[in-house]
């Protein structure tokens, strides 16, 4: 761990203590809050650090739904991992009401006075710096972070508090739920202003863990985020999507994997890769899906040679070791099965005739899982937004006839090559050479026979790329937008989505009682009410 990182984490602790303990000399003074601190004692850079960590490393918040709704992963959801019935089978477990509110609480902040969410942290940094021109880069970085955090919230839930969010100190404790269309319009306006505010001649954001305050990289990040926001709107408002996709391309999106937004973590200090941690906890119940492995095999994709493994007979529950990586032996597990001995049991050859058999340690041991040495490594970095994603989005924009700097085929090839080579950043066991990636892209060019063919190929590649990077919430959200790949819903007894893949997460149950009027107004705008199957604004049917 670097000395700078130790200092940052130390100061985060000091800042947290200040927020809770206060700085007055006389704790008995009337009207003095012993938990308060003053702005001049708090460096806003540490709020950026904490906000980035809270947002990027969410673990079960993401794993419990989107990881298997998009069918990049699968689980029999039995034994100690019965809660994985939520993502794999759309079947509630005892804590589902808690799970459905976790992204909300992490991105906004939980209701207790000592926990502050990712969005609230960076919003506070904006308040502390917006009046000081010398801290323009801190304000800009914090604003871009806030917009990315809030995009996740609205993409998951729909209409949410935005214009009145993060204003508890100003007395707004019951914020209105803004319409998602209005939120997205605000995103583009605020993001444009934040990018323009970035200035290499001014003090950098020293608390930034993505780019260490590099202004040039933050500009590229801002435009790449703008592109992702624009592409979300292709189904509902193609005109606005085109306007902002072209603006992003003109401004300058990521140019190589060197621009990837990546969060480095330190498990030894409790700041780990939570996505990998929860996979390690549920490794015996979590496999790559049949849909994903079949996709990789059909395309002779080099990632199949490094990303998947089968456990060995020497492995016992609670003692995972590196498995068999031979690509010819990999087999993905179908979604929707269990270990309950009925017709839905994974070993029932009548309902699952391709069952490969058990290993000594597990009845599903011969199904492929994410490679243990990398995907269960809690010190591995976390991808936030990548060049591969950006190039694939530009490929789609170009396929739609928009002016984004190059052809769809060129952007697609760039995205495919980047998707292959970026994985080495997660762990050397996932290394694919540039020569191999280049040859694969050349052998699998974009199908430009029709727009539909291009969109299908691009978005299937995007789905696999984000899934293999463990950015499964992006796999799900882009599937929801593009409808690619075509997925077969799991129909399992007692499911909460009428046998369809869920389209959103319901609001946290506490909102109905804590912010009743505004909650009811928002629910009234959902065609199906506050359910798993209602569609948010940009997910038009």
């Amino acid at each position: 761990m670097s000395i700078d990182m130790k200092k940052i984490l130390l100061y985060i602790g000091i800042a947290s203590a200040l927020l809770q303990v206060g700085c007055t000399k006389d704790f008995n003074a009337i009207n003095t809050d012993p938990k308060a601190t003053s702005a001049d004692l708090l460096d806003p850079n540490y709020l950026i650090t904490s906000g980035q960590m809270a947002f990027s490393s969410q673990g079960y918040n993401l794993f419990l739904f989107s990881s298997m709704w998009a069918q990049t992963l699968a689980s029999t959801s039995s034994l100690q991992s019965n809660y994985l019935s939520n993502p794999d089978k759309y079947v509630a477990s005892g804590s589902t009401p808690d799970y459905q509110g976790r992204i909300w609480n992490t991105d906004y902040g939980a209701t207790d006075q000592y926990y502050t969410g990712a969005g609230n942290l960076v919003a506070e940094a904006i308040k502390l710096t917006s009046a000081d021109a010398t801290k323009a880069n801190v304000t800009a970085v914090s604003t871009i972070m806030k917009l990315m955090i809030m995009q996740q919230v609205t993409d998951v839930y729909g209409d949410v508090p935005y214009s009145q969010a993060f204003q508890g100190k100003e007395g707004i404790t019951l914020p209105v739920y803004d319409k998602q269309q209005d939120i997205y319009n605000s995103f583009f306006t605020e993001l444009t202003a934040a990018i323009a505010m970035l200035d290499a001649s001014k003090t950098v954001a020293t608390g930034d863990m993505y780019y260490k305050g590099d202004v040039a990289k933050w500009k590229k990040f801002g435009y790449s985020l703008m592109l992702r926001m624009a592409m979300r709107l292709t189904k509902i408002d193609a005109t606005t999507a085109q306007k902002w996709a072209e603006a992003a391309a003109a401004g300058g999106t990521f140019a190589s994997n060197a621009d990837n937004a990546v969060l480095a973590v330190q498990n030894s200090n409790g700041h780990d890769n939570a996505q990998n941690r929860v996979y390690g906890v549920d490794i015996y119940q979590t496999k790559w899906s049949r849909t994903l492995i079949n996709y990789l095999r059909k395309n002779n994709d080099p990632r199949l040679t490094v990303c998947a493994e089968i456990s060995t007979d020497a492995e016992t529950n609670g003692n995972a070791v590196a498995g068999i990586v031979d690509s010819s032996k990999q087999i993905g597990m179908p979604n929707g099965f269990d270990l309950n001995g009925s017709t839905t049991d994974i070993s029932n050859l009548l309902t699952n005739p391709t069952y490969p058999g058990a290993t000594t340690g597990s009845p599903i041991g011969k199904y492929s899982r994410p490679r243990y040495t990398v995907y269960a490594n809690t010190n591995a970095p976390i991808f936030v937004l990548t060049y591969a994603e950006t190039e694939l989005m530009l490929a789609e924009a170009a396929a739609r006839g928009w002016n984004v700097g190059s052809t769809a085929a060129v952007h697609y090839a760039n995205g495919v090559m980047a998707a292959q080579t970026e994985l080495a950043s997660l762990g050397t066991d996932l290394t694919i050479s540039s020569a191999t990636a280049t040859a694969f892209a050349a052998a699998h060019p974009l199908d430009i026979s029709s727009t539909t063919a291009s969109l299908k190929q691009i978005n299937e590649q995007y789905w696999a790329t984000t899934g293999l990077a463990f950015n499964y919430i992006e796999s799900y959200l882009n599937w929801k937008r593009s409808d690619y790949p075509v997925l077969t819903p799991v129909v399992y007894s007692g499911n909460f989505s009428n046998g369809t893949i869920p389209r959103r997460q319901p609001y946290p149950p506490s909102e109905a009682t804590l912010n009743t009027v505004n909650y009811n107004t928002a629910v009234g705008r959902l065609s199906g009410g506050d359910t798993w199957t209602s569609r948010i604004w940009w997910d038009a049917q």
Side-chain angles (χ1 to χ4, degrees):
M1 182 182 193
S2 69
I3 293 176
D4 287 343
M5 181 55 67
K6 288 181 179 178
K7 287 181 178 179
I8 288 173
L9 297 177
L10 173 62
Y11 292 147
I12 292 172
I14 293 172
S16 298
L18 287 171
L19 285 168
Q20 296 178 29
V21 175
C23 58
T24 61
K25 293 182 179 179
D26 184 359
F27 283 178
N28 295 317
I30 296 175
N31 296 326
T32 298
D33 183 354
K35 297 182 293 297
T37 186
S38 57
D40 60 325
L41 294 178
L42 181 61
D43 186 341
N45 279 287
Y46 306 135
L47 300 175
I48 295 176
T49 308
S50 296
Q52 289 179 338
M53 187 71 206
F55 172 76
S56 306
S57 184
Q58 294 200 42
Y60 277 122
N61 297 9
L62 313 177
F63 190 63
L64 284 167
F65 293 120
S66 59
S67 66
M68 298 174 200
W69 285 355
Q71 296 183 14
T72 54
L73 294 171
S75 176
T76 45
S77 60
S78 304
L79 305 175
Q80 70 270 25
S81 301
N82 68 324
Y83 43 79
L84 294 182
S85 64
N86 288 276
D88 186 75
K89 302 168 183 62
Y90 335 136
V91 172
S93 58
S95 297
T96 297
D98 166 43
Y99 302 153
Q100 72 191 51
R102 288 193 178 186
I103 288 177
W104 180 286
N105 289 333
T106 296
D107 288 349
Y108 279 122
T111 55
D112 70 272
Q113 61 183 322
Y114 299 117
Y115 179 79
T116 303
N120 210 16
L121 287 162
V122 295
E124 185 66 17
I126 296 169
K127 294 175 186 177
L128 292 173
T129 59
S130 58
D132 186 346
T134 66
K135 296 178 180 177
N137 288 322
V138 177
T139 306
V141 168
S142 299
T143 300
I144 296 170
M145 281 298 307
K146 184 197 77 170
L147 297 173
M148 178 170 62
I149 292 164
M150 289 307 302
Q151 185 190 23
Q152 182 181 83
V153 177
T154 188
D155 286 354
V156 168
Y157 297 100
D159 295 355
V160 296
Y162 184 71
S163 61
Q164 294 184 346
F166 313 121
Q167 297 185 48
K169 291 198 304 183
E170 290 75 24
I172 300 177
T173 58
L174 300 174
V176 298
Y177 285 54
D178 296 278
K179 294 179 180 179
Q180 188 175 60
Q181 182 176 10
D182 295 336
I183 294 171
Y184 262 83
N185 287 336
S186 295
F187 283 167
F188 294 123
T189 300
E190 293 180 49
L191 185 53
T192 301
I195 295 170
M197 191 184 300
L198 290 164
D199 187 342
S201 69
K202 296 181 179 178
T203 303
V204 300
T206 57
D208 166 35
M209 296 176 70
Y210 295 166
Y211 298 119
K212 298 181 180 178
D214 188 316
V215 168
K217 288 188 181 295
W218 268 102
K219 286 185 177 181
K220 292 179 184 179
F221 180 89
Y223 284 119
S224 297
L225 180 62
M226 180 184 290
L227 174 64
R228 188 172 73 182
M229 290 175 172
M231 298 309 291
R232 286 285 198 267
L233 308 187
T234 54
K235 280 200 296 190
I236 189 66
D237 187 352
T239 300
T240 298
Q242 178 179 357
K243 171 186 174 181
W244 290 105
E246 291 180 346
T253 56
F254 292 155
S256 73
N257 279 340
D259 294 327
N260 289 347
V262 179
L263 180 77
V265 299
Q266 282 87 28
N267 179 47
S268 60
N269 284 274
H271 297 83
D272 67 351
N273 182 327
Q275 281 81 283
N276 285 12
R277 170 169 29 92
V278 300
Y279 166 62
V281 170
D282 295 308
I283 190 169
Y284 293 100
Q285 290 288 318
T286 304
K287 305 292 181 179
W288 288 126
S289 74
R290 180 166 62 188
T291 308
L292 178 63
I293 295 297
N294 286 355
Y295 170 84
L296 297 175
R297 174 163 286 114
K298 176 183 177 182
N299 291 286
N300 197 26
D301 195 310
R303 290 173 292 188
L304 185 58
T305 67
V306 297
C307 291
E309 67 180 11
I310 296 171
S311 58
T312 67
D313 285 330
E315 184 173 287
T316 58
N317 197 8
N319 184 34
V321 295
I324 301 167
V325 186
D326 183 348
S327 61
S328 68
K329 299 183 183 300
Q330 304 306 320
I331 179 170
M333 191 167 78
N335 293 88
F337 285 88
D338 56 39
L339 296 174
N340 297 336
S342 65
T343 56
T344 52
D345 192 294
I346 194 91
S347 65
N348 189 323
L349 294 177
L350 293 177
T351 52
N352 184 30
T354 60
Y355 174 63
T359 57
T360 301
S362 170
I364 57 173
K366 290 187 179 179
Y367 283 114
S368 300
R369 71 186 183 195
R371 196 165 178 178
Y372 172 73
T373 55
V374 176
Y375 291 103
N377 178 10
T378 55
N379 281 311
I382 300 170
F383 283 150
V384 178
L385 182 60
T386 69
Y387 171 61
E389 294 172 55
T390 301
E391 282 298 298
L392 292 171
M393 287 186 284
L394 288 171
E396 178 177 342
R400 291 176 177 274
W402 303 348
N403 181 14
V404 290
S406 192
T407 66
V410 169
H411 282 304
Y412 180 76
N414 290 341
V416 168
M417 289 185 286
Q420 303 278 324
T421 56
E422 72 177 12
L423 292 171
S425 298
L426 302 180
T428 56
D429 281 346
L430 301 191
T431 299
I432 296 172
S433 71
S434 295
T436 298
T438 301
F440 176 74
H444 297 80
L446 181 65
D447 182 349
I448 58 173
S449 61
S450 69
T451 300
T452 298
S454 293
L455 296 186
K456 177 179 182 294
Q457 186 175 352
I458 292 165
N459 284 290
E460 286 178 348
Q461 179 64 230
Y462 191 97
W463 165 82
T465 294
T466 50
L468 290 166
F470 260 26
N471 188 5
Y472 25 72
I473 189 169
E474 189 59 25
S475 305
Y476 166 68
L477 292 173
N478 193 69
W479 165 82
K480 187 165 68 168
R481 174 194 70 87
S482 69
D483 295 319
Y484 292 115
V486 176
L487 301 175
T488 301
V490 169
V491 181
Y492 193 93
S493 177
N495 72 83
F496 50 58
S497 57
N498 299 320
T500 63
I501 299 174
R503 307 301 298 196
R504 65 182 286 273
Q505 288 177 212
Y507 296 118
S510 59
E511 282 296 291
T513 53
L514 294 176
N515 194 3
T516 306
V517 173
N518 293 316
Y519 164 82
N520 286 337
T521 299
V523 171
R525 293 195 291 259
L526 287 166
S527 60
D530 189 15
T531 66
W532 304 90
T533 56
S534 292
R535 289 177 178 251
I536 61 176
W537 168 72
W538 60 248
D539 183 25
Q541 193 164 20

